[in-house]
Amino acid sequence: MIIHDIQFKGSFPSQHLAPKDGMAEFAFIGRSNVGKSSLINMIAERKEMARISNVPGKTQHLNYYLVNEEWYLVDLPGYGYARVSKKLRKQWRLMMDHYFKKRTSLCCVFVLVDSNIPPQKVDIEFINWLGELGLPYILIYTKIDRIKPEELEANTKAIKDALLEYWEELPQDIPTSAEKHIGREEILKIVQDTLERL
Ligand code: GTP
Ligand code: MG
């Protein structure tokens, strides 16, 4: 897929305020600092599209980008911020609950996990929640340029083992690096294939 046009459509505090045109949407989510902004910028081939923020928890809204006037890339607020209050956590949970349960135009969630560290409890809990909601998702391993192949293998195996404790089947997974431009085609192929099946 060639991305010839991207327009920022806005930042919304709730799914019912987000665009209602029913266009297919693909969401990106992950723990704080997982490399989400970098990955989105890499996919979009725009250096500063998703703000690469050093302030965790800053983006608490649903950020909508219209790609090729055909589909939405949705940058979702991350989870697992260490310094976030209980109240904010609850708000996040409520917002995401509404989003995932009510957003009928949501086609697929790309869940980012850091390939450099063993699976984190919050990641597994989040993925299990998506699974329980029955939403299609893809696992994205980030920052693979920073880790030795055998460590990457060990960390990804540990994630899969943790998921296999709950699920019979594993989701599709894609190793990526924003730094080395790895994984872009694979992600866009999933978007393309999904759009063709609609
Ligand atoms: P928050 O929005 O702050 O939660 O973070 P984020 O998930 O958007 O991550 P961001 O893209 O800001 O990246 C976090 C840090 O990881 C930054 O220092 C990036 O430079 C670094 N980083 C992101 N992607 C990669 C990658 O593919 N390779 C390497 N080596 N570093 C990366
Ligand atoms: Mg970010």
Tab-separated table of all heavy atoms in Angstrom, residues 98-120:
chain	number	residue	atom	x	y	z
A	98	HIS	N	-15.706	1.456	26.356
A	98	HIS	CA	-16.685	1.969	25.388
A	98	HIS	C	-16.171	1.824	23.978
A	98	HIS	O	-16.881	1.404	23.081
A	98	HIS	CB	-16.986	3.456	25.656
A	98	HIS	CG	-17.857	3.657	26.844
A	98	HIS	ND1	-17.947	4.853	27.499
A	98	HIS	CD2	-18.672	2.812	27.500
A	98	HIS	CE1	-18.785	4.731	28.515
A	98	HIS	NE2	-19.233	3.497	28.531
A	99	TYR	N	-14.922	2.208	23.798
A	99	TYR	CA	-14.345	2.161	22.451
A	99	TYR	C	-14.385	0.741	21.887
A	99	TYR	O	-14.913	0.499	20.805
A	99	TYR	CB	-12.913	2.709	22.472
A	99	TYR	CG	-12.251	2.625	21.121
A	99	TYR	CD1	-12.579	3.528	20.116
A	99	TYR	CD2	-11.327	1.620	20.842
A	99	TYR	CE1	-12.003	3.440	18.863
A	99	TYR	CE2	-10.745	1.528	19.595
A	99	TYR	CZ	-11.084	2.434	18.609
A	99	TYR	OH	-10.516	2.319	17.368
A	100	PHE	N	-13.840	-0.200	22.618
A	100	PHE	CA	-13.742	-1.571	22.098
A	100	PHE	C	-15.105	-2.238	21.939
A	100	PHE	O	-15.319	-3.012	21.026
A	100	PHE	CB	-12.837	-2.427	22.989
A	100	PHE	CG	-11.397	-2.060	22.898
A	100	PHE	CD1	-10.631	-1.879	24.039
A	100	PHE	CD2	-10.773	-1.896	21.661
A	100	PHE	CE1	-9.288	-1.544	23.960
A	100	PHE	CE2	-9.437	-1.554	21.566
A	100	PHE	CZ	-8.692	-1.374	22.723
A	101	LYS	N	-16.036	-1.930	22.839
A	101	LYS	CA	-17.337	-2.595	22.757
A	101	LYS	C	-18.274	-1.953	21.743
A	101	LYS	O	-19.123	-2.621	21.187
A	101	LYS	CB	-18.017	-2.611	24.132
A	101	LYS	CG	-17.345	-3.595	25.084
A	101	LYS	CD	-18.042	-3.617	26.426
A	101	LYS	CE	-17.328	-4.562	27.382
A	101	LYS	NZ	-17.728	-4.313	28.773
A	102	LYS	N	-18.127	-0.645	21.532
A	102	LYS	CA	-19.125	0.052	20.711
A	102	LYS	C	-18.637	0.468	19.337
A	102	LYS	O	-19.436	0.811	18.469
A	102	LYS	CB	-19.622	1.290	21.457
A	102	LYS	CG	-20.288	0.893	22.759
A	102	LYS	CD	-21.160	1.991	23.298
A	102	LYS	CE	-21.942	1.471	24.483
A	102	LYS	NZ	-22.076	2.459	25.535
A	103	ARG	N	-17.346	0.444	19.132
A	103	ARG	CA	-16.825	0.949	17.860
A	103	ARG	C	-16.948	-0.103	16.767
A	103	ARG	O	-16.023	-0.906	16.554
A	103	ARG	CB	-15.361	1.369	18.055
A	103	ARG	CG	-14.862	2.298	16.977
A	103	ARG	CD	-15.506	3.653	17.081
A	103	ARG	NE	-15.119	4.497	15.974
A	103	ARG	CZ	-15.742	5.623	15.651
A	103	ARG	NH1	-16.762	6.042	16.355
A	103	ARG	NH2	-15.330	6.331	14.636
A	104	THR	N	-18.075	-0.111	16.097
A	104	THR	CA	-18.338	-1.189	15.134
A	104	THR	C	-17.429	-1.103	13.902
A	104	THR	O	-17.232	-2.092	13.215
A	104	THR	CB	-19.813	-1.173	14.690
A	104	THR	OG1	-20.152	0.170	14.352
A	104	THR	CG2	-20.729	-1.648	15.803
A	105	SER	N	-16.884	0.081	13.624
A	105	SER	CA	-16.017	0.198	12.446
A	105	SER	C	-14.571	-0.229	12.739
A	105	SER	O	-13.739	-0.240	11.836
A	105	SER	CB	-16.033	1.634	11.922
A	105	SER	OG	-15.868	2.543	12.994
A	106	LEU	N	-14.318	-0.634	13.985
A	106	LEU	CA	-12.970	-1.094	14.328
A	106	LEU	C	-12.723	-2.477	13.711
A	106	LEU	O	-13.453	-3.424	13.987
A	106	LEU	CB	-12.823	-1.164	15.860
A	106	LEU	CG	-11.527	-1.750	16.407
A	106	LEU	CD1	-10.323	-0.914	16.003
A	106	LEU	CD2	-11.577	-1.868	17.935
A	107	CYS	N	-11.699	-2.560	12.860
A	107	CYS	CA	-11.419	-3.817	12.150
A	107	CYS	C	-10.368	-4.657	12.852
A	107	CYS	O	-10.426	-5.879	12.834
A	107	CYS	CB	-10.918	-3.522	10.738
A	107	CYS	SG	-12.161	-2.803	9.683
A	108	CYS	N	-9.373	-3.996	13.410
A	108	CYS	CA	-8.252	-4.747	13.962
A	108	CYS	C	-7.456	-3.860	14.920
A	108	CYS	O	-7.317	-2.664	14.702
A	108	CYS	CB	-7.358	-5.198	12.805
A	108	CYS	SG	-5.920	-6.126	13.313
A	109	VAL	N	-6.975	-4.481	15.990
A	109	VAL	CA	-6.143	-3.753	16.959
A	109	VAL	C	-4.710	-4.269	16.833
A	109	VAL	O	-4.477	-5.477	16.864
A	109	VAL	CB	-6.647	-3.993	18.411
A	109	VAL	CG1	-5.852	-3.138	19.397
A	109	VAL	CG2	-8.134	-3.710	18.536
A	110	PHE	N	-3.787	-3.353	16.676
A	110	PHE	CA	-2.374	-3.715	16.697
A	110	PHE	C	-1.865	-3.461	18.119
A	110	PHE	O	-1.829	-2.316	18.572
A	110	PHE	CB	-1.582	-2.887	15.689
A	110	PHE	CG	-1.918	-3.212	14.254
A	110	PHE	CD1	-2.773	-2.400	13.522
A	110	PHE	CD2	-1.390	-4.340	13.634
A	110	PHE	CE1	-3.098	-2.698	12.194
A	110	PHE	CE2	-1.701	-4.655	12.305
A	110	PHE	CZ	-2.562	-3.825	11.588
A	111	VAL	N	-1.512	-4.533	18.796
A	111	VAL	CA	-1.041	-4.405	20.177
A	111	VAL	C	0.484	-4.464	20.180
A	111	VAL	O	1.085	-5.457	19.776
A	111	VAL	CB	-1.594	-5.532	21.070
A	111	VAL	CG1	-1.129	-5.338	22.510
A	111	VAL	CG2	-3.104	-5.589	21.010
A	112	LEU	N	1.080	-3.374	20.645
A	112	LEU	CA	2.542	-3.291	20.637
A	112	LEU	C	3.119	-3.811	21.954
A	112	LEU	O	2.668	-3.412	23.037
A	112	LEU	CB	2.972	-1.828	20.454
A	112	LEU	CG	2.964	-1.257	19.034
A	112	LEU	CD1	1.589	-1.372	18.391
A	112	LEU	CD2	3.413	0.197	19.054
A	113	VAL	N	4.106	-4.685	21.841
A	113	VAL	CA	4.838	-5.117	23.033
A	113	VAL	C	6.329	-4.933	22.779
A	113	VAL	O	6.815	-5.155	21.664
A	113	VAL	CB	4.530	-6.585	23.436
A	113	VAL	CG1	3.150	-6.712	24.044
A	113	VAL	CG2	4.672	-7.524	22.263
A	114	ASP	N	7.029	-4.515	23.794
A	114	ASP	CA	8.466	-4.251	23.671
A	114	ASP	C	9.213	-5.582	23.597
A	114	ASP	O	9.167	-6.377	24.532
A	114	ASP	CB	8.928	-3.440	24.889
A	114	ASP	CG	10.341	-2.883	24.727
A	114	ASP	OD1	11.114	-3.448	23.922
A	114	ASP	OD2	10.669	-1.887	25.407
A	115	SER	N	9.917	-5.802	22.480
A	115	SER	CA	10.627	-7.080	22.297
A	115	SER	C	11.871	-7.179	23.174
A	115	SER	O	12.444	-8.247	23.319
A	115	SER	CB	11.042	-7.236	20.830
A	115	SER	OG	12.079	-6.325	20.508
A	116	ASN	N	12.267	-6.041	23.773
A	116	ASN	CA	13.525	-6.013	24.540
A	116	ASN	C	13.398	-6.515	25.973
A	116	ASN	O	14.393	-6.673	26.662
A	116	ASN	CB	14.103	-4.583	24.582
A	116	ASN	CG	14.647	-4.155	23.242
A	116	ASN	OD1	15.752	-3.638	23.157
A	116	ASN	ND2	13.905	-4.365	22.178
A	117	ILE	N	12.153	-6.700	26.396
A	117	ILE	CA	11.948	-7.123	27.794
A	117	ILE	C	10.996	-8.323	27.853
A	117	ILE	O	10.198	-8.524	26.940
A	117	ILE	CB	11.374	-5.966	28.665
A	117	ILE	CG1	10.137	-5.346	27.990
A	117	ILE	CG2	12.425	-4.891	28.913
A	117	ILE	CD1	9.434	-4.304	28.843
A	118	PRO	N	11.083	-9.094	28.926
A	118	PRO	CA	10.148	-10.207	29.069
A	118	PRO	C	8.716	-9.680	29.154
A	118	PRO	O	8.512	-8.502	29.450
A	118	PRO	CB	10.563	-10.850	30.407
A	118	PRO	CG	11.904	-10.303	30.725
A	118	PRO	CD	11.993	-8.969	30.063
A	119	PRO	N	7.727	-10.537	28.892
A	119	PRO	CA	6.340	-10.064	28.905
A	119	PRO	C	5.966	-9.448	30.246
A	119	PRO	O	6.328	-9.955	31.299
A	119	PRO	CB	5.521	-11.333	28.654
A	119	PRO	CG	6.439	-12.471	28.867
A	119	PRO	CD	7.815	-11.974	28.601
A	120	GLN	N	5.258	-8.327	30.181
A	120	GLN	CA	4.833	-7.616	31.382
A	120	GLN	C	3.394	-8.014	31.705
A	120	GLN	O	2.588	-8.235	30.799
A	120	GLN	CB	4.911	-6.108	31.131
A	120	GLN	CG	6.273	-5.638	30.647
A	120	GLN	CD	7.322	-5.701	31.740
A	120	GLN	OE1	7.214	-5.008	32.737
A	120	GLN	NE2	8.326	-6.557	31.554
